[in-house]
Amino acid sequence: MITSHPPATSASPRPVRKAVVPAAGLGTRFLPATKATPKEMLPVVDKPAIQYVVEEAAAAGLDDVLMVTGRHKRAIEDHFDHALELEQALAAKGDTVRLDAVRDPARLADIHHIRQGDPLGLGHAVLCARAHVGDQPFAVLLGDDLIDPRESLLSRMLDVRERYAGSVVALMEVDPAQIHLYGCAAVEAAGEDGVVRVTDLVEKPSREEAPSRYAVIGRYVLDPAVFGVLERTRPGRGGEIQLTDALRELAAAGTVHAVVFDGARYDTGDKSDYLRSVVRMACARPDLGPGFRSWLREFVAALEDGPEAGAARADGRERRRAA
Ligand code: UTP
């Protein structure tokens, strides 16, 4: 087995400052909710999913965020802008807590927007960012992929980029029955715990075709070399220009590493995962968590009598407590 080590003498790669957040997909898995509302704007407790994503970028030190949006995505642009009337009304009432909540999204980073005319695929969405990103490494965070804020995945990926150069993806081990939903990576050891070298990538393989159980999740730190490859990447699986196909070429050249992640991650564009993300985030909230957790315990305990009975019993106890 070949192991790769950080290059000893090459010029140190430039630090990453820019993040690209693709959010121009159609969100068909979440219809009809996503008919007029972008899936990235669906609330996870009281913030849209995409705000967690931008907060994650800012927490990792990325102060320039480019959103790639499409038609019907005005709500995303408005959310990360000022809302003067609302701010004035809250200021007049002296409601500083809500005023801060309204102002926070616009203060997270220097936020830019670009339109992807047609949703031709994730690879195409990333290519739309080329003029803004320029000749620098950059991060890509999918706007509907939520990583628990207590995790430090992106920082670890930035650290790997600094030490190995090239591009860095994030991998999670999944049940082989689920691998057809993801890009899948063939890997070999890189000589350190939790980091591997990617030797091949396949977009949404069947269980039989999959080279491993490692699924690519929605965080990337990319070398600008990816743009040149994307320019000539033809539509692949699903007729879309796939980022995985471009990364496959870079992986063949030995320049893609991966951080293996085993923390909490949710695809909020998938209904079941979305529900899990809401429950998880609500339980972790200091203001809502204690009450929500005790309701949830009662609800789950009563589920054996059927979901309706479970809800009725848990809600009845809650009302009695409140009375
Ligand atoms: P998905 O494959 O999850 O998005 O893309 P989708 O096509 O909207 O999903 P469904 O299957 O129809 O429900 C992952 C991310 O890439 C963005 C999406 O907005 C999402 O954040 N994306 C995808 C683009 O920005 N442009 C595209 O052309 C495709």
Side-chain angles (χ1 to χ4, degrees):
M1 182 180 289
I2 305 165
T3 58
S4 57
H5 294 283
T9 53
S10 65
S12 66
R14 279 168 287 190
V16 180
R17 267 196 50 233
K18 292 183 179 172
V20 174
V21 179
L26 295 177
T28 54
R29 284 169 298 156
F30 224 125
L31 284 168
T34 46
K35 183 179 172 191
T37 303
K39 64 174 166 176
E40 295 81 3
M41 287 300 293
L42 294 176
V44 177
V45 187
D46 54 6
K47 289 190 286 191
I50 197 169
Q51 185 172 337
Y52 292 88
V53 172
V54 176
E55 286 172 353
E56 181 189 337
L62 308 180
D63 56 10
D64 181 298
V65 175
L66 176 72
M67 312 264 183
V68 184
T69 62
R71 279 187 286 278
H72 311 303
K73 299 276 182 166
R74 266 298 294 275
I76 297 178
E77 291 164 25
D78 288 346
H79 185 73
F80 289 96
D81 197 356
H82 291 285
L84 288 181
E85 262 180 43
L86 188 54
E87 289 178 31
Q88 279 165 4
L90 291 167
K93 281 204 244 168
D95 190 342
T96 52
V97 173
R98 290 195 177 94
L99 186 58
D100 275 342
V102 167
R103 286 180 173 161
D104 279 348
R107 296 195 284 221
L108 284 170
D110 197 359
I111 295 180
H112 309 265
H113 301 274
I114 192 169
R115 290 283 173 111
Q116 181 189 17
D118 289 308
L120 300 180
L122 177 57
H124 181 258
V126 170
L127 189 55
C128 291
R130 185 178 200 168
H132 182 85
V133 166
D135 187 25
Q136 293 183 17
F138 61 106
V140 173
L141 296 86
L142 300 193
D144 59 349
D145 224 62
L146 207 152
I147 305 278
D148 191 302
R150 290 161 291 187
E151 304 285 354
S152 56
L153 173 62
L154 188 56
S155 298
R156 281 165 56 208
M157 295 173 73
L158 293 167
D159 176 55
V160 168
R161 155 72 201 186
E162 266 180 41
R163 289 183 293 114
Y164 290 88
S167 297
V168 185
V169 300
L171 300 177
M172 268 188 109
E173 252 189 287
V174 300
D175 183 334
Q178 301 292 310
I179 200 73
H180 66 282
L181 301 170
Y182 299 88
C184 177
V187 302
E188 60 187 24
E192 69 174 284
D193 261 3
V195 179
V196 291
R197 198 162 75 82
V198 176
T199 55
D200 197 10
L201 286 158
V202 194
E203 181 64 19
K204 299 191 169 75
S206 67
R207 189 181 178 144
E208 294 70 35
E209 292 164 336
S212 76
R213 298 171 61 140
Y214 285 121
V216 179
I217 59 168
R219 297 294 179 269
Y220 308 80
V221 177
L222 299 179
D223 190 87
V226 75
F227 291 127
V229 182
L230 278 170
E231 248 185 353
R232 48 189 160 72
T233 300
R234 298 288 118 227
R237 176 84 54 165
E240 296 191 348
I241 298 174
Q242 299 287 357
L243 180 58
T244 307
D245 292 342
L247 289 175
R248 181 176 204 205
E249 191 173 320
L250 297 177
T255 59
V256 180
H257 284 79
V259 171
V260 179
F261 180 66
D262 62 1
R265 170 261 171 194
Y266 306 96
D267 174 2
T268 63
D270 170 81
K271 290 174 201 174
S272 296
D273 237 20
Y274 171 77
L275 293 172
R276 288 185 201 105
S277 75
V278 174
V279 172
R280 174 99 177 198
M281 294 301 176
C283 285
R285 282 274 294 255
D287 53 346
L288 300 166
F292 184 65
R293 285 196 300 268
S294 72
W295 176 88
L296 194 59
R297 264 192 294 271
E298 282 168 20
F299 177 69
V300 171
L303 268 185
E304 278 169 22
D305 303 334
E308 289 307 320
R313 208 178 308 162
D315 287 341
R317 283 209 193 109
E318 186 106 321
R319 270 194 297 277
R320 281 194 294 283
R321 257 199 304 270

